[in-house]
Amino acid sequence: MLKSRLRYFLARFWPYLLVLVFGIIVSAGLWTNLGAYAEGDDLFFHITRLKTTTEALADGQLVPQINPSAALGFGYGYNLFYGPILTWFAGFLNLLLNNWVIVFNLTIITCFLASGLTMCYAAKKIFQKPTLATLAGIFYLSAPYFLNNFFARTALGECSAMIAAPLVILGLYELTTKHSAASRTIAFAAAFLLLSHNLSALLLALFSALYLALNFKLLKDKWTWQKIALAILGACGLAAVFLLPMLETYLSGAYAISNSGFVSQYMGSNPATLNAWRLGINAFFDFSVHPTGFATSLGFLAFFTLIAFPLTRKKIKNETLKKFLTSLYILALLCLIMTTVLIDWNLIPSFLRQIQFPGRFLALFFLALSFIFPYILYILVKNHSRKTKIAALVATTFVALATVLPITISAINRHATYDYNKPLDLIELGWQGEYVPLTLNCPVGTTDWCGYIEVGNRLSERGSDLKIQSGDGAIENLNRSGLNFTLDIATNTETALEFPLIYYPGYRATLNDQPLKTSISEDGLLVITIPKNSTGILKVWYGMTPFTTLGLVISLLTIALYLFFALRRHRSLKQILKTLQADEIATVPTETVEGYAVLLDSEPAIRKLMGFKERDFNSGKIFTLIPKSPNEIKKYAIIPKAAKPLIEKYIPGELTLILPKNPDFKHFYYDNFKTIGIRIPNHPLFKELLPESGPLILTSANKKGETPKSYGKKPSTIIDFTTKTPKIIRQGDLKVI
């Protein structure tokens, strides 16, 4: 029993295991020294950022937004502006491990391995071939730009975005093939991107828009627009807990990140900086180990893909896949061009300049090629022996390892030698200030951005005392814990208190449990105004704005809706399986019309179906057989040469093929016929059902003379290949070329 389960597990999951092993080898430079921070350009930013959720929850924040210990204890809004999903994950890990150094390194490793697994999953869904899924995962994890994010920049935002990016491409493919799961796939991927890295979300939104523009015929279909609308609503709903408070704070215009001058100069979002960061052609051939080198080199596999795809494209028989991969190839070339000196960023729309450096387009380049490369290799070796195919997989893995190991093994010694007794806080180090009010970056009296190095200096000079800005309030029994203050106060005149807290909209204050107004001082700090002739206990804390509350409610409701529909699908699947296994007729949805299904090996159920449909062995109408996969069609039918391209192109799909019956296939029902109808519906239910149920018999869900329930489409197109010349017996919505 254990052996059979192990065999089943390996048969189903071996591509993921191989990609996982490859990823573990490649990430050796991280996990071999978990006890020291891996060096990287963004190291200190993410060390402090990852602690936000843990420290904010400990501070009493229901939705963790402000790190109370950051910015010299003035509090810093990492999770208000930057996707918080990794801080949630890191907070959970720290609950288990209570060691931030290990948590930091494990977070990077988890992002890296998860990226390979999601690429493997997406490619397996698209190609329906586990070997191609394995190749896609290996290509993705060996892309030099991605390795640079992990091993040189420790760019955790982009690293986590890598996890969702392959699912965006899967969603686009599902839109192309009119798969009912398209909106759900895109919604989950887009929400993850929004919660990970805003710039990556922007780039992938642009990539998706260009893909749809290249496949403009999709936009003529109302179904496509419905799925896009559902995807956008789903993504915004899932990420609302972050999006609404972020937009509230950003659109206030008070913060440096929302000031165009500051962003242009400090964030590098200006044409001069972007032009200076453009790449020459020679950079793509730089295979040296130093960070800049492997950040820009393309690698052998990418060069092979760029050259081989135009040469092999005509050999792709599946028209849908050909269009899909061609679109990805065109977009990959466009993304590559965007990184080069051929582009003058003075001519590029300002919203795109937010990407900070053109090299970020390499992420989209490698993402697209990760899907193209494995299919090219498949085209080149598909007519060769099994040994040749295995050799191609091994050779690809070897080339990928040969490219990356000199880089990643050297990272074993690339661990921070920083004195951890010194501060890790970027504000204290004077390196950061985009998420604070602009006035905190600038001396009083200036109107534009001044330089982020001012923030730490100004906070140090200001000190951590509570100050009376105006009025005559008398303060006693002051207590502070993180961002929480309690104190006794008495005033004769209206009194304004400036707290040692960077102002964010979520701060709340009460005097004797009555709410008070909060505001921002000239220096960007929190001000509480106490009415005249007031006496009592003043409480200050960081809470939730109405936007945060609304965002939390929307996100929870969206999750609940998705769970509800997922449970309903699961119950429906289980009920159908139970019905089938009881030798009964099950009613099932397809992408065309509702159907009746029975197990292929259930004679009682087949006889019931014959009686219900009023058919016998002489009626001339044959029930359609549903194999578990296209590869199993040959078990039941002889496949004429003319039918093979259609099987590769349209199955699974809205096509039924009438083929000569395979004489080796023995069955009490089909032995009465010389021909057999074959179809595999392209419906999510069948993707989950067939692995559990095995092959089925399917017919439309209607009695003789009645019309079956339609899902907005005609019944499948039927083509007869048992005659000298194939002929269309029934024309459905699918137009066969």
Side-chain angles (χ1 to χ4, degrees), residues 382-405:
K382 70 174 183 177
N383 295 324
H384 291 75
S385 66
R386 188 169 180 270
K387 287 183 179 179
T388 303
K389 294 174 183 177
I390 293 173
L393 176 60
V394 172
T396 300
T397 306
F398 176 78
V399 170
L401 286 173
T403 302
V404 304
L405 282 182

Side-chain angles (χ1 to χ4, degrees), residues 172 176 206-220 313 322-335 368:
L172 292 174
T176 305
L206 176 64
F207 187 94
S208 300
L210 291 174
Y211 175 88
L212 292 172
L214 288 173
N215 296 272
F216 63 92
K217 287 184 179 180
L218 291 174
L219 299 176
K220 295 180 180 180
R313 180 179 173 275
K322 183 189 287 187
K323 288 180 181 178
F324 171 70
L325 294 176
T326 301
S327 299
L328 292 186
Y329 185 80
I330 292 169
L331 292 174
L333 288 178
L334 178 61
C335 290

Side-chain angles (χ1 to χ4, degrees), residues 26 313 699:
V26 171
R313 180 179 173 275
T699 186

Side-chain angles (χ1 to χ4, degrees), residues 461-470 475 496-500:
E461 290 170 4
R462 193 270 181 204
S464 58
D465 296 334
L466 175 63
K467 295 186 177 181
I468 298 177
Q469 270 197 336
S470 62
I475 297 171
L497 303 180
E498 184 186 71
F499 285 76

